[in-house]
Amino acid sequence: MTRSWGRRRAEDACGALDRYAYAFLAGGRRRVVESAVVALTEQGVLSLRATRLCPTGEVRSTHAVEHAVIAACPRSKRVQEVIDTVGRSQPLDDLARQLVCLGLLSGRRQRTTRAGRWLLAAAASEGSLPRYVLEGPAALATGPVRHGLLSATAIPDGLGRTLRRMGKALDDDHSSLTDSTPGGGTGGCGGSSGGD
């Protein structure tokens, strides 16, 4: 009886959900932002080259998630920074709260519930949603948007982020030593001078 009630509740919720709600159920906050980036590039509002997003046109959308993505990159910005910023934004918090209230997402860990998985399976069998919403950027055709989204990687928090920055700084210092040594040498320590 509980099982049928959960399905009935999911079926009732189906009409109230948009593509971003399905994206949240399929892949969490990251998938929502990725789906918004794809939608906005398809509309011509954003362009994605390498791993940078740039605004290119007028905003024609009224969806809160899309507005959050556009607001996160007023000029050229790395895709991962946009994903991180929008992933913690109010529109995504509101979407998560809505899905929890509908019983499609667990409250604490924000994992898809059985009713949510059933709803995703139904949407996949209908084929009414773009594949990237359910499967992620890997479902996109080869091109700059697919490459840019798949190349974006999360920067670890705390110590991991600090160590990564230090590693980049050391790489930059090392490359400047090798490039600026007079006489085309390799720079650095421990080289011999040719002897007496």
Side-chain angles (χ1 to χ4, degrees):
M1 180 140 171
T2 307
R3 198 174 198 177
S4 63
W5 179 81
R7 264 196 196 163
R8 219 174 23 247
R9 191 171 173 189
E11 286 171 352
D12 294 343
C14 184
L17 300 182
D18 60 14
R19 74 171 59 183
Y20 298 119
Y22 282 102
F24 204 122
L25 294 174
R29 291 173 181 262
R30 183 180 185 96
R31 181 72 53 81
V32 175
V33 182
E34 290 171 343
S35 297
V37 166
V38 173
L40 290 167
T41 56
E42 287 176 348
Q43 294 171 29
V45 176
L46 294 176
S47 72
L48 178 54
R49 297 209 167 117
T51 57
R52 296 194 76 81
L53 276 170
C54 296
T56 59
E58 261 185 57
V59 180
R60 296 184 295 264
S61 170
T62 57
H63 199 284
V65 172
E66 293 177 0
H67 278 292
V69 170
I70 293 164
C73 55
R75 291 181 244 23
S76 176
K77 201 159 204 180
R78 285 181 49 245
V79 175
Q80 188 57 50
E81 290 179 53
V82 174
I83 289 171
D84 291 343
T85 301
V86 179
R88 295 184 302 266
S89 69
Q90 188 63 46
L92 264 76
D93 290 343
D94 293 343
L95 181 56
R97 200 172 301 112
Q98 176 193 8
L99 293 171
V100 168
C101 288
L102 291 170
L104 303 174
L105 204 64
S106 68
R108 203 168 125 225
R109 292 194 174 182
Q110 295 188 345
R111 293 201 177 152
T112 308
T113 63
R114 182 180 300 165
R117 289 190 298 274
W118 181 86
L119 198 61
L120 279 173
S125 66
E126 284 176 14
S128 58
L129 293 168
R131 281 184 57 210
Y132 64 82
V133 170
L134 300 175
E135 300 171 32
L140 295 170
T142 303
V145 176
R146 180 180 194 270
H147 175 73
L149 287 171
L150 289 176
S151 298
T153 55
I155 298 173
D157 289 335
L159 180 60
R161 183 185 298 250
T162 304
L163 291 173
R164 189 168 175 179
R165 267 194 236 128
M166 288 172 55
K168 283 185 179 181
L170 289 172
D171 283 346
D172 290 344
D173 288 345
H174 181 268
S175 65
S176 66
L177 279 174
T178 15
D179 294 341
S180 64
T181 304
T186 59
C189 301
S192 63
S193 62
D196 287 291

